[in-house]
Amino acid sequence: MNTTNSPVIISHERFLTRFYYDSDTNIMKENLFRRFGLPSGIILHRDLGEKLYSLVPVLEALHLKFLFTDVYRPVEMQKFLYEHWKERTGAEPKFSLAEIDKAPHPRGIACDCVLADENGNKLPFPSSSIKLNPEQRSPDFAFDEQTAENEEKIRNRNLLRTLMLCAGISPINKEWFHFQLPNTVDYELISVNEAKEAEYLPYNPHSAKPMFYDIFGEYQNEDADGKTHFWIHDRAYYGRFSKIGLDDFIAKIKEHFFVQ
């Protein structure tokens, strides 16, 4: 069990940010990063940072980038959102905002993320990762009309999901853009003061080539429910799969998502 808080800041040219709450134009109409004095940068738990760094050479090979819209969210911000959501938006807040004991964002082990091209342009996806649209935000949403444009959106969604899964980062069953480390309760909440003391975690391109979970057999052949309707709590889930090296992993990604 990981009982040590290890907030870090990660940075790479393949990692872009457009944090929703680091702006005055969000649904709360206030820059909450400024309210709570959060430092700039991608703040998260070291364990998640290292897994995201493992995907850098994959992003380079695919000429893609990650665009993060939400990562670490302090408990104080989470409570503020829950308490003031209705007065500022007119809608009832999501109950998950009140479930601090289960919330992954205040632990720095979750990220909301999309894919972007080399120029930082967001790829087409079935829905926005910011605007509320519960149906299209589901990871198994399917368009009624089968067009090349809609197929591209689904393919990009599945590519993002596959990259995260193979790196050991779990999807959830309600938001295609949200990913987190398994076993939320193994990680402690990170306070604002701890986040302010976060140290920079450099990317080391000379480290050993990462290994990725080979989900391309059993996982890809599961039925729809097995692929989308789960929220992984147990690291043992990944024990079902063998691991493959970087070159083989990139080759399989290209075979499944890029070779027509």
Side-chain angles (χ1 to χ4, degrees):
M1 179 174 178
N2 190 337
T3 58
T4 303
N5 282 6
S6 303
V8 297
I9 297 176
I10 63 172
S11 178
H12 194 276
E13 62 180 8
R14 292 284 153 186
F15 296 166
L16 309 175
T17 60
R18 196 176 298 159
F19 293 139
Y20 182 55
Y21 292 115
D22 190 14
S23 164
D24 294 316
T25 61
N26 58 64
I27 197 170
M28 300 297 285
K29 301 179 177 62
E30 179 183 357
N31 189 313
L32 299 184
F33 275 54
R34 190 180 305 129
R35 168 181 279 271
F36 294 101
L38 281 180
S40 60
I42 304 173
I43 305 170
L44 33 65
H45 194 282
R46 178 182 294 268
D47 289 357
L48 179 56
E50 291 175 347
K51 289 184 182 297
L52 290 172
Y53 270 157
S54 75
L55 288 165
V56 164
V58 183
L59 296 173
E60 291 174 338
L62 302 179
H63 305 289
L64 295 174
K65 297 182 179 182
F66 280 151
L67 173 59
F68 297 96
T69 57
D70 198 6
V71 186
Y72 167 68
R73 186 190 306 151
V75 172
E76 295 87 345
M77 185 188 297
Q78 188 107 342
K79 290 181 177 178
F80 180 86
L81 288 169
Y82 182 76
E83 293 170 358
H84 298 278
W85 190 273
K86 187 172 184 178
E87 70 183 62
R88 298 198 179 192
T89 70
E92 293 295 331
K94 293 190 298 183
F95 184 71
S96 59
L97 290 173
E99 296 183 303
I100 301 298
D101 59 326
K102 299 179 181 179
H105 282 289
R107 291 168 166 79
I109 61 169
C111 63
D112 293 355
C113 179
V114 300
L115 291 171
D117 64 20
E118 288 281 24
N119 296 318
N121 301 308
K122 176 187 170 185
L123 299 188
F125 285 95
S127 73
S128 168
S129 61
I130 296 175
K131 296 179 181 178
L132 298 179
N133 187 330
E135 180 185 7
Q136 293 188 355
R137 287 156 69 102
S138 168
D140 62 343
F141 169 78
F143 291 99
D144 293 332
E145 185 179 3
Q146 297 298 314
T147 65
E149 180 181 3
N150 288 342
E151 289 177 359
E152 180 185 10
K153 293 177 179 180
I154 297 298
R155 184 169 62 251
N156 290 335
R157 183 189 68 190
N158 293 342
L159 170 59
L160 173 63
R161 184 183 188 87
T162 300
L163 292 177
M164 293 293 189
L165 265 171
C166 289
I169 308 172
S170 303
I172 63 172
N173 63 0
K174 292 183 178 180
E175 297 174 333
W176 60 261
F177 49 84
H178 174 106
F179 302 92
Q180 63 185 67
L181 296 183
N183 291 359
T184 304
V185 295
D186 282 4
Y187 296 87
E188 296 180 352
L189 297 168
I190 298 173
S191 69
V192 168
N193 288 335
E194 287 173 316
K196 291 178 180 178
E197 299 297 322
E199 297 182 352
Y200 173 64
L201 179 67
Y203 172 69
N204 182 3
H206 303 294
S207 61
K209 285 189 177 181
M211 301 289 287
F212 297 92
Y213 292 98
D214 184 2
I215 70 170
F216 295 93
E218 181 182 354
Y219 174 81
Q220 296 292 348
N221 292 326
E222 290 176 350
D223 58 26
D225 285 346
K227 290 177 65 174
T228 60
H229 292 272
F230 66 96
W231 184 339
I232 302 171
H233 290 287
D234 190 354
R235 285 190 181 87
Y237 171 87
Y238 290 97
R240 295 165 50 185
F241 309 109
S242 60
K243 287 189 175 184
I244 53 178
L246 175 62
D247 293 339
D248 288 338
F249 177 62
I250 291 174
K252 289 198 173 191
I253 286 289
K254 289 182 176 180
E255 176 186 351
H256 280 79
F257 294 100
F258 291 91
V259 177
Q260 300 298 321

